Amino acid sequence: MNPPSQSGPGVLTKFIAVERSHRVPTLYWWTLPLRLRVLAALNAAALTGARALVYPGTAIGAATAEVGADGAPNGTALVANVGALLEARDAGRIAPCTIAIFPPAVRRPDLDALAAHLPSGLEHLPFTIALRADGDGRARHHFCFRVPGQVIAALEHLALDRSFGGNPGQVEMALLQGLRLRPKQRAGLRLVMHAGEAALVGHAGGGRNRITYLESGKGYTGIYEPVRLADALAERSREAWRRFPVGIMLFIGLPFFIATFWIANLMGRSGAQATAAPPPAGGSGT
């Protein structure tokens, strides 16, 4: 794949972010446009017999029986059917919440003890997958995966099942090392698909360098390429428009709307005055 081809006909781009935890620096939070029902399908084997703590427990609402929820300490709920939980959350039958998924080996008394640490102590719990809604969660969630390779599986699904090749766990470790994130540092990435191939791309040096982290069939590449200033500025503009479309429209469009309204109002008054003006003296034909 040609990494510079990030826009134009036939190019599909998905926006992703990753942030390194400052509480537990070995953990990374991924912001992905990944449906929770897809997450359940990708990890179906691992979720068999798993249980989840949900905070707040009231978010489950009328889906209590559907997901097999039971009350737990600290206002949480313990869910027995994690697959149904993710399906119900994806469908909107469960409100935005924090979910921590634990392997079957964690016993009920231990889960009750762990519930006391939610939500502030979430990262210190022995979960396999944790997730938080981004806003109302309809578009994307923040995911934290503890099992190596799970992030790569999610990225490959988002890349329309294009494989990056290699061992997923090793590819993930190389990617995290290549990102070089400090604790609490966040990186914006793009998953770019074109001509049957995919690449995970980021920027460095204020946007003056493009980094291709992953390429389909090649795994981690870590290729640095300089970016022309005009292209860097154009990319910044596209990113600003993507993040703040409503704000930009209000900021730019509202003054024009107000000016147009007043001009139209003044022209309307002038036209009304001209219509109502008396005819000049002697202008009557009778």
Side-chain angles (χ1 to χ4, degrees), residues 11-279:
V11 177
L12 176 63
T13 302
K14 297 182 180 180
F15 295 92
I16 291 167
V18 56
E19 181 175 342
R20 188 175 184 179
S21 170
H22 66 284
R23 296 185 180 91
V24 183
T26 56
L27 297 180
Y28 292 79
W29 286 92
W30 293 84
T31 304
L32 305 172
L34 184 70
R35 299 287 299 269
L36 295 189
R37 64 180 61 195
V38 173
L39 176 69
L42 291 175
N43 299 275
L47 296 181
T48 302
R51 288 182 288 185
L53 286 172
V54 177
Y55 182 90
T58 54
I60 295 177
T64 298
E66 176 186 355
V67 302
D70 189 16
N74 194 31
T76 65
L78 179 61
V79 173
N81 191 335
V82 177
L85 169 68
L86 297 176
E87 290 272 354
R89 176 70 194 97
D90 187 82
R93 296 191 295 275
I94 292 178
C97 55
T98 297
I99 299 174
I101 302 172
F102 299 89
V106 183
R107 301 175 303 166
R108 173 63 192 261
D110 297 327
L111 289 169
D112 286 342
L114 294 173
H117 300 282
L118 285 174
S120 59
L122 170 64
E123 294 177 339
H124 296 283
L125 304 185
F127 59 80
T128 53
I129 302 175
L131 57 109
R132 302 189 304 253
D134 184 10
D136 61 8
R138 289 182 296 179
R140 57 186 63 218
H141 279 74
H142 306 291
F143 299 90
C144 185
F145 302 98
R146 263 214 171 89
V147 179
Q150 288 180 319
V151 169
I152 300 301
L155 292 175
E156 289 177 341
H157 172 81
L158 293 174
L160 307 180
D161 295 325
R162 295 173 171 92
S163 172
F164 292 113
N167 180 283
Q170 294 176 355
V171 173
E172 180 179 324
M173 291 300 296
L175 171 59
L176 295 177
Q177 291 175 3
L179 287 168
R180 301 177 182 176
L181 294 179
R182 299 183 301 274
K184 210 174 182 178
Q185 185 180 6
R186 180 182 176 90
L189 305 172
R190 290 167 178 78
L191 188 59
V192 184
M193 289 147 281
H194 178 61
E197 298 183 353
L200 185 65
V201 180
H203 288 84
R208 296 303 306 275
N209 291 294
R210 179 180 295 123
I211 312 170
T212 302
Y213 292 104
L214 302 178
E215 290 188 70
S216 53
K218 299 180 182 179
Y220 178 81
T221 54
I223 299 173
Y224 279 69
E225 296 176 294
V227 179
R228 293 186 309 155
L229 179 59
D231 292 339
L233 292 174
E235 187 61 38
R236 287 289 187 90
S237 300
R238 283 194 293 268
E239 179 68 11
W241 183 263
R242 185 187 72 85
R243 288 192 171 192
F244 310 107
V246 176
I248 290 177
M249 290 299 294
L250 289 176
F251 181 76
I252 297 177
L254 189 58
F256 282 101
F257 173 80
I258 295 174
T260 303
F261 174 80
W262 282 106
I263 290 172
N265 191 37
L266 290 173
M267 292 180 66
R269 289 182 180 179
S270 299
Q273 291 175 359
T275 302

